[in-house]
Amino acid sequence: MEEDSGKLINSVWARELDLPPSCVEFCPAHPSYFLVGTYNLQKDEVDAHTPEQDAGDDDNKDDAKSQAAKPKKAQSRNGSILVFQLQDDNNIVPIQTEPQPSALLDLHFNPIEGFWDICATVSSTATLAIFKLSPGPEDDKPLKHLNTMDISSLSGGDISASDGSEILFLSVCWHPSRADMLAVTTNTGHVYLVHLPAWDKGWKLLPEPATTHTLEAWTVNLSPYFGPTDSPEEVSFRIFSGGDDSKLRFGTVIWSPSDDHLTETISAVEARGHDAGVTAILPLFVLEDGSELLVTGSYDENIRLFSLAPYGRPKNLVEMGLGGGVWRLKLINLDKTPSPTYNWRARILASCMHAGSRVVDVLQTVDGEHHVRVLGRFEEHKSMNYGSDFHPQRKDSLTVVSTSFYDRLLCLWQLDIA
């Protein structure tokens, strides 16, 4: 490895799970608890396949979502949601297992304070489910299911799979300032917005796609954009999406919650600076000139920093290879207070498929140059690292749980960082 490849980290705890893990996240409301979603492609007596047997040699084919999105035939998948507690002595205790009729591809807790215990999951049968995590001293099943709806029910019957095809939800993202809105992506290349006026009923998927890719839409993220609106109840925001077509797309919309009307105010723009599918998107912040800084991950193994002006083409400020497809990005912290060495710095946890996990800094130096620096790397996973997350309240060191798919491994590791 190169000198700047970061410190090699050893695990402090590891366990093999019953099913392959696809996603993981700590609960902001109960920081010692985290959820793991699993994905299992069931064998049948006619034609037994696993994602690994169907996979090709390159990263673009060798992953759960890609195999799910491009089935050779209708396939049966199931999964589970696992609840764990990370104790003070770094022991991880299994708390609850909730079997799911479909495989899980993504899960996220609501980012709005007061709703931090609400979790959304999406599945291989295009279902959206909402759960609430409420641990108690006498409750051995703290994860409560509130509601599940599939894409046909969500859209009032406007959207359904045609004969011989499947629709899968590949990722989900909450709105950063509205607790009642989220976005989902599909294997058919679409990004949809969903309004949730209540957790257990009344959900509505806006049938007109917010944006579209020509191949699978792997990822989506939303960013507040405080542009002009005609009514105080209207919400203006940006939609960022990445697809297997190697494109980063972004545009600005206004949403009216009363009638779920969506208006595109700035048409979607494509950024073409990726050499393979765009799999992760992390908005950072908006500069004084209105440009937004955004970090992306790709199957091409690079992490990139873009500057996105409200109009015009995005500018690629810096990129760096991380040794594996960059599947997920999670912001650890953002420091916009100038220091003797940088004007701003974003510390990020990256899940890098066959390369394992990376902790990286993306920053602008006092000279105005942009850099990516690897601080640490965890490489004990023997297969695809699709999910990693960190304990949100431990300040003495960065405490991370990470997973890998085919070897079904769940690991705990720590990195001391200033």
Side-chain angles (χ1 to χ4, degrees), residues 253-285:
V253 298
I254 292 177
W255 169 59
S256 174
S258 60
D259 58 5
D260 284 318
H261 182 69
L262 196 69
T263 304
E264 186 179 62
T265 57
I266 299 178
S267 299
V269 175
E270 294 180 353
R272 298 179 177 271
H274 301 83
D275 297 324
V278 180
T279 49
I281 297 173
L282 179 63
L284 294 181
F285 62 96

Side-chain angles (χ1 to χ4, degrees), residues 2-245:
E2 301 175 1
E3 286 186 354
D4 63 352
S5 60
K7 177 184 177 181
L8 183 63
I9 307 164
N10 296 320
S11 64
V12 298
W13 184 98
R15 169 177 291 184
E16 184 177 303
L17 304 176
D18 293 333
L19 295 176
S22 57
C23 45
V24 58
E25 189 161 285
F26 276 93
C27 177
H30 309 284
S32 65
Y33 287 80
F34 64 91
L35 305 184
V36 175
T38 69
Y39 177 110
N40 181 45
L41 185 62
Q42 295 175 288
K43 295 183 179 181
D44 60 47
E45 64 277 8
V46 178
D47 189 10
H49 287 281
T50 68
E52 188 169 21
Q53 289 170 335
D54 283 340
D57 293 332
D58 60 3
D59 276 354
N60 204 0
K61 304 298 181 183
D62 195 15
D63 65 86
K65 287 187 181 179
S66 184
Q67 293 307 307
K70 301 176 182 178
K72 296 179 180 179
K73 56 173 285 184
Q75 296 175 332
S76 179
R77 310 171 188 86
N78 62 10
S80 60
I81 304 175
L82 310 177
V83 183
F84 292 96
Q85 185 179 24
L86 173 57
Q87 299 181 326
D88 292 339
D89 61 358
N90 284 336
N91 184 39
I92 294 179
V93 179
I95 302 296
Q96 180 181 354
T97 298
E98 283 296 304
Q100 299 295 296
S102 306
L104 296 192
L105 288 110
D106 201 10
L107 63 81
H108 290 290
F109 282 95
N110 198 308
I112 307 302
E113 188 172 2
F115 304 100
W116 287 348
D117 55 356
I118 299 296
C119 183
T121 70
V122 291
S123 82
S124 60
T125 53
T127 61
L128 169 68
I130 298 294
F131 295 84
K132 183 173 184 177
L133 184 64
S134 303
E138 305 298 328
D139 192 352
D140 61 351
K141 292 188 176 182
L143 188 67
K144 312 297 184 185
H145 175 251
L146 302 183
N147 194 24
T148 299
M149 294 182 69
D150 64 16
I151 192 169
S152 179
S153 301
L154 284 166
S155 64
D158 289 343
I159 304 172
S160 60
S162 57
D163 292 341
S165 66
E166 293 180 295
I167 299 178
L168 297 84
F169 284 159
L170 302 182
S171 66
V172 62
C173 171
W174 291 97
H175 192 282
S177 60
R178 291 280 311 206
D180 59 350
M181 168 168 275
L182 52 75
V184 296
T185 70
T186 73
N187 61 314
T188 55
H190 297 126
V191 178
Y192 294 106
L193 297 176
V194 183
H195 183 199
L196 294 79
W199 300 131
D200 58 350
K201 60 183 178 181
W203 303 355
K204 182 180 179 181
L205 180 144
L206 282 60
E208 184 66 26
T211 189
T212 300
H213 291 263
T214 57
L215 295 172
E216 293 87 345
W218 290 127
T219 187
V220 61
N221 215 317
L222 307 177
S223 175
Y225 178 74
F226 303 102
T229 61
D230 293 332
S231 169
E233 73 155 11
E234 293 180 336
V235 184
S236 177
F237 57 95
R238 286 171 172 162
I239 302 175
F240 304 99
S241 63
D244 208 47
D245 52 10

